[in-house]
Amino acid sequence: LGDVYKRQYMDINEWLIELTGNIDGFMYTYILLILLVVTGVYFTIRTKCVQIRYLKDMFRQVTDKKHVDGEKSISSFQALMVSTASRVGTGNIAGVATAIALGGPGAVFWMWLMAIVGAASAFIESTLAQIWKIRGKEGEFRGGPAYYIEKALGHRWLGILFAVLLILCYAFGFNGLQAYNACSALEYYVPDYNENGLAMIVGLLLVLMTATVIFGGQKRISVITSIVVPVMALAYIAIALWTTISNIAWLPAAFAVLFESAFDFESIFGGFAGSVVMLGIKRGLYSNEAGMGSAPNAAATASVSHPVKQGLVQSLSVYIDTILICTCSAIMVLIFYVQDPAVAVGLNGMPLIQMAVNNSVGVAGIHFITFAIFAFAYSSLIGNYFYAESNFRFIFPESKKGLFAFRIACLAAILYGAVNSFDLAWNLADIFMGFMAIVNLIAILILGKWALLALDDYSKQRNRGLDPVFLASSIPGLPETDCWHEEHLKDFGSGPMKEYLEESVDMDFAGLK
């Protein structure tokens, strides 16, 4: 009977993999490709390349102090770390290796291109999230696409739809995938790790570690990610730099393979859904999340004086994720490809990146990568949950019992993901991500004009040498916001900012208390 049930399970699993693969391929080939590129190019033009033009400001705003004090409010840097925690995960390691293995080395080029173009979309969505954020009872800020869809578009049902899609994507799709990739790192040590119960043990460990943080609230999440993300990112970059320097003679060959594959006609158009372009776009989107509507949930929590500041910071997060971290993974894999192609071609996912590091650094590198996978997966589990909880609270604002049950369900998804199928895990994550991105991209195309007007306001103040401060009334016709009103600006009652606001919005500081 056990064999019969096992065969039935395998048949159903194979059917699910095929079904989700077909949905995934259709969505990315005929819908998301066009929507992502059009949206990114459109906002790149409309913002006059804000993602390049204001590169210096991105770094400046990272260190910006909290504008509104409060025990539960978080700084611009902490919001960046929460979003980067979600972005910088196993997708930067296993995802890059998968894209190269299945689509070819040229997939990396298309990941780079999507990051640069997508950074403009990331700027727009995060600025919108700041404009229509709300303030909680304990002084914390919350927001994101669900909030600006409801408040600016006036459709709560559509906001709820987005919130549900995000929860399915992050709490049950991506978190399951992060747990799976963390467990798959054990394959080097224990080839049958799933069959002998080791994956279940690791899954339970991840559940326990995640539970200790998510039951502590938003502030604890931001503190943990502010420590884990920078330390692991710097360590990973150091390994990549060592690999690059010690194999510098192989770099020309590695980049030659990359660009040859990126512009190879057969690689681009042969089996388009699984081509080098599509895999580069999918893995790039999964990695940096630009335009998906995820990072705005973190962006909205920052206490800043102007929405554009967090829009710029979240554009920087896209670069950190793809241009920096993903490139580190790509260089290690590509050097392995040109040095030992016979071995590299037969590997995929985590085993490929582990062998690539082993090729350059030795066995110690494999141990480091295994540890890095766990650290990145853990930070991503926390960051992903942060997004999911924010959207659960949007649907059920006052349900404490419901929130407790939701947290338990999220932890169960992590445990399930630890023993899930590789192909099914990727397909489900891609599908949830795709539906979520479609809803958000349409919303920001409609609402983007308000972010553009906020950018104009930021640029005017910046050109006058001011530290930009936003006031909702400075943009005529702006849909009602919960924040950004005159009472929030009482600290700017003198100096250049007073003169600017009086001139721009006819503001009477004498009447403020």
Side-chain angles (χ1 to χ4, degrees):
L1 283 175
D3 290 340
V4 171
Y5 287 131
K6 187 174 181 181
R7 284 197 300 271
Q8 289 178 342
Y9 170 78
M10 290 177 66
D11 289 341
I12 293 173
N13 194 55
E14 289 173 3
W15 177 80
L16 284 173
I17 291 172
E18 182 179 358
L19 175 64
T20 54
N22 290 335
I23 296 172
D24 178 15
F26 177 83
M27 183 185 301
Y28 280 87
T29 304
Y30 300 105
I31 302 175
L32 266 182
L33 172 64
I34 297 172
L35 199 53
L36 278 168
V37 173
V38 167
T39 304
V41 171
Y42 172 73
F43 284 126
T44 296
I45 295 171
R46 289 298 309 274
T47 61
K48 301 175 184 176
C49 294
V50 66
Q51 69 270 44
I52 298 173
R53 187 161 53 98
Y54 279 157
L55 191 60
K56 184 186 293 186
D57 279 41
M58 294 178 190
F59 290 96
R60 182 184 298 123
Q61 302 308 337
V62 168
T63 58
D64 200 30
K65 294 182 180 179
K66 289 197 292 186
H67 177 59
V68 177
D69 290 328
E71 184 181 347
K72 296 293 184 178
S73 64
I74 66 176
S75 68
S76 187
F77 174 75
Q78 289 174 320
L80 171 66
M81 289 301 102
V82 171
S83 63
T84 306
S86 178
R87 283 187 168 115
V88 179
T90 56
N92 298 78
I93 302 175
V96 173
T98 299
I100 293 174
L102 299 181
V108 178
F109 171 82
W110 297 103
M111 289 177 67
W112 290 339
L113 188 62
M114 281 307 302
I116 296 172
V117 173
S121 301
F123 168 81
I124 295 293
E125 63 182 358
S126 295
T127 301
L128 291 174
Q130 270 286 328
I131 293 175
W132 282 287
K133 66 184 180 181
I134 65 171
R135 194 166 195 194
K137 295 179 180 179
E138 297 180 327
E140 82 281 6
F141 291 109
R142 292 200 309 272
Y147 294 82
Y148 58 67
I149 287 172
E150 178 190 25
K151 293 181 175 297
L153 287 181
H155 297 300
R156 178 167 172 76
W157 69 269
L158 189 57
I160 291 176
L161 173 62
F162 177 88
V164 170
L165 288 171
L166 185 141
I167 289 169
L168 288 173
C169 180
Y170 279 86
F172 304 112
F174 284 1
N175 267 3
L177 185 55
Q178 296 291 349
Y180 174 84
N181 281 329
C183 289
S184 69
L186 300 173
E187 188 173 354
Y188 171 79
Y189 306 96
V190 185
D192 299 324
Y193 68 93
N194 204 354
E195 295 181 8
N196 61 22
L198 184 58
M200 179 65 72
I201 295 173
V202 175
L204 288 170
L205 178 62
L206 288 172
V207 166
L208 180 63
M209 293 172 63
T210 305
T212 59
V213 176
I214 68 175
F215 281 97
Q218 173 178 298
K219 185 68 177 178
R220 184 182 295 180
I221 291 172
S222 65
V223 170
I224 293 296
T225 55
S226 296
I227 298 171
V228 175
V229 174
V231 171
M232 286 313 304
L234 290 173
Y236 193 66
I237 292 167
I239 287 287
L241 285 174
W242 170 258
T243 300
T244 303
I245 294 170
S246 61
N247 296 278
I248 197 164
W250 291 91
L251 277 186
F255 279 100
V257 168
L258 187 157
F259 287 108
E260 182 181 351
S261 172
F263 298 102
D264 179 71
F265 183 86
E266 185 176 347
S267 296
I268 294 175
F269 297 104
F272 191 60
S275 70
V276 64
V277 177
M278 294 311 303
L279 283 163
I281 290 174
K282 284 198 291 185
R283 295 281 73 82
L285 177 60
Y286 171 72
S287 177
N288 65 52
E289 305 174 10
M292 280 178 56
S294 52
N297 294 275
T301 63
S303 175
V304 293
S305 64
H306 201 290
V308 167
K309 290 183 175 183
Q310 201 41 218
L312 293 172
V313 167
Q314 294 305 325
S315 294
L316 178 63
S317 183
V318 172
Y319 291 151
I320 292 172
D321 173 272
T322 305
I323 305 298
L324 189 58
I325 307 296
C326 284
T327 300
C328 290
S329 299
I331 288 175
M332 290 189 286
V333 171
L334 289 175
I335 288 175
F336 184 36
Y337 253 74
V338 295
Q339 287 182 340
D340 199 350
V343 177
V345 169
L347 298 172
N348 190 6
M350 277 310 307
L352 174 56
I353 195 71
Q354 285 176 322
M355 290 300 101
V357 176
N358 177 62
N359 178 66
S360 299
V361 181
V363 177
I366 296 180
H367 304 324
F368 171 78
I369 286 296
T370 303
F371 177 74
I373 278 291
F374 273 89
F376 282 144
Y378 177 56
S379 67
S380 290
L381 290 175
I382 296 171
N384 291 347
Y385 172 79
F386 179 91
Y387 294 162
E389 181 181 307
S390 177
N391 283 268
F392 180 86
R393 288 177 179 270
F394 173 81
I395 302 172
F396 305 105
E398 304 294 336
S399 178
K400 292 185 178 180
K401 291 182 179 179
L403 180 60
F404 179 83
F406 175 70
R407 286 171 172 169
I408 297 300
C410 291
L411 295 173
I414 294 172
L415 184 60
Y416 175 75
V419 295
N420 200 4
S421 162
F422 177 79
D423 293 327
L424 186 59
W426 276 121
N427 289 348
L428 287 174
D430 281 338
I431 290 170
F432 292 147
M433 174 178 66
F435 280 121
M436 201 178 95
I438 289 169
V439 174
N440 183 62
L441 288 168
I442 293 173
I444 66 174
L445 283 170
I446 297 172
L447 298 173
K449 61 181 180 180
W450 304 115
L452 295 172
L453 289 171
L455 176 60
D456 289 341
D457 178 70
Y458 175 89
S459 298
K460 288 178 183 177
Q461 296 187 50
R462 180 179 175 278
N463 292 337
R464 295 184 62 162
L466 302 173
D467 181 16
V469 174
F470 184 68
L471 195 62
S473 57
S474 65
I475 299 181
L478 183 72
E480 185 178 353
T481 66
D482 284 30
C483 305
W484 310 113
H485 300 298
E486 281 82 352
E487 59 267 26
H488 299 128
L489 303 178
K490 58 186 178 183
D491 294 332
F492 296 90
S494 62
M497 183 53 67
K498 172 190 173 184
E499 298 173 5
Y500 174 81
L501 290 174
E502 287 180 335
E503 175 186 316
S504 302
V505 295
D506 194 27
M507 181 175 174
D508 180 15
F509 276 91
L512 273 182
K513 295 182 180 178

